[in-house]
Amino acid sequence: MINSLFLCHGGPTLVIENNEYTNFLKELGEKTKPKAIVVFTAHWENKITTISSIDTCYEMIYDFYGFQEELYSIKYGAKGSPETASKIQQLLKSHGIESKLDTKRGLDHGVWDILYIMYPKANIPVIQVSINPYMAMNRQYDLGEAIKSLGEEDILVIGSGSTVHNLATVDWTAAEPVQWAIDFDNWLIEKVENNDKDALFSYQDLAPYAKRAIPREEHIVPLFIAMGSGQSNEPKLLHRSYAYGTLSYICFQF
């Protein structure tokens, strides 16, 4: 049973693409059927951890501009779960972590971009959670660890972000990944697989090309939350591929 994942959600066009990564996501969804899905999304930032708590279908948030018209008509009719949202809040409270519930916000593309591919029937409750990119990485890990017990209830935690996320370096015509992005991911993968948390918490100082790969930390924060919420002592790289030169599609199981 998989209880914690880190997934790269890529660009909004992922939902209409057919490639190695989308095929992987489809297969992963077919193998993993949780009772509920909790997604920490890089596209929702808040100083206080905020948890979606609705019992109806989510509204859609199209938080991108200038893409194909068909992307703005995509619907993902997942419902929320106030019961699970409350459970998350209680777990965080028991670990001294402040949080609040939200009953209005819709799903952003950091959530529906991957779930649309993995679970197209939208028949699994989804709980969307915000991230705070200004919090230290060890505290991100602690936040994930606070909800670790969700895995025992067959609730899947997903950190949705990206390992290399620098839109200024994206090349829409590139056929192969650039070397510096590969070098950064090589370092990251080695440290994750060796469970070297000390090095990972200081990745900005230790990893090659860290500042270029992650100029702002909101997209890598979900990795540390997913890592903390995992129940395995042997993290596993499930997938690795690239698009547009520097956009990495990486999936870890924790």
Side-chain angles (χ1 to χ4, degrees):
M1 180 179 70
I2 297 176
N3 68 286
S4 181
L5 292 168
F6 172 74
L7 295 175
C8 291
H9 57 246
T13 57
L14 190 68
V15 293
I16 58 173
E17 293 174 1
N18 181 16
N19 54 38
E20 183 183 349
Y21 187 51
T22 59
N23 289 336
F24 160 76
L25 289 175
K26 289 174 187 174
E27 292 173 6
L28 184 61
E30 290 167 359
K31 293 188 296 187
T32 312
K33 301 294 183 184
K35 292 179 182 176
I37 304 168
V38 178
V39 185
F40 288 84
T41 169
H43 287 261
W44 188 13
E45 297 182 27
N46 221 316
K47 185 177 180 180
I48 298 173
T49 301
T50 309
I51 307 158
S52 288
S53 178
I54 66 171
D55 56 6
T56 57
C57 290
Y58 284 93
E59 301 265 330
M60 296 290 287
I61 298 176
Y62 304 102
D63 48 344
F64 46 85
Y65 305 93
F67 287 87
Q68 297 95 318
E69 275 300 315
E70 63 185 298
L71 292 175
Y72 301 92
S73 61
I74 284 176
K75 302 293 181 186
Y76 190 72
K79 290 185 176 181
S81 171
E83 178 185 357
T84 306
S86 179
K87 188 173 297 184
I88 294 167
Q89 187 174 41
Q90 288 302 313
L91 287 171
L92 294 177
K93 183 179 180 181
S94 69
H95 287 77
I97 299 172
E98 185 181 4
S99 66
K100 61 183 179 179
L101 301 178
D102 177 275
T103 59
K104 296 180 179 179
R105 192 178 191 272
L107 288 183
D108 62 57
H109 96 263
V111 181
W112 61 255
D113 216 26
I114 50 179
L115 297 187
Y116 185 92
I117 300 170
M118 294 175 69
Y119 304 107
K121 293 181 180 178
N123 57 359
I124 302 173
V126 175
I127 302 87
Q128 181 177 238
V129 188
S130 71
I131 58 102
N132 177 1
Y134 303 105
M135 198 162 68
M137 295 305 121
N138 62 313
R139 291 184 62 202
Q140 309 285 0
Y141 180 92
D142 291 343
L143 193 156
E145 196 168 38
I147 61 168
K148 198 172 190 175
S149 62
L150 292 177
E152 297 168 6
E153 301 181 47
D154 198 18
I155 297 173
L156 175 64
V157 175
I158 296 176
S160 175
S162 187
T163 55
V164 178
H165 189 267
N166 185 339
L167 299 183
T169 65
V170 166
D171 179 355
W172 300 103
T173 65
E176 299 293 333
V178 298
Q179 190 59 48
W180 65 260
I182 293 173
D183 291 345
F184 174 79
D185 278 343
N186 283 344
W187 184 93
L188 195 73
I189 290 167
E190 179 192 355
K191 301 307 179 188
V192 169
E193 290 183 330
N194 290 327
N195 216 12
D196 188 348
K197 292 191 286 289
D198 288 341
L200 287 164
F201 293 157
S202 301
Y203 84 93
Q204 281 281 20
D205 297 320
L206 301 177
Y209 307 106
K211 296 291 194 298
R212 190 185 300 181
I214 307 289
R216 191 170 182 275
E217 295 189 293
E218 82 283 353
H219 271 72
I220 201 167
V221 158
L223 168 65
F224 292 92
I225 297 172
M227 191 187 313
S229 64
Q231 295 187 332
S232 171
N233 291 321
E234 297 181 0
K236 185 185 300 183
L237 177 69
L238 298 182
H239 178 85
R240 179 183 190 178
S241 59
Y242 292 86
Y244 316 124
T246 64
L247 193 59
S248 61
Y249 292 143
I250 277 180
C251 172
F252 289 112
Q253 174 186 336
F254 297 104

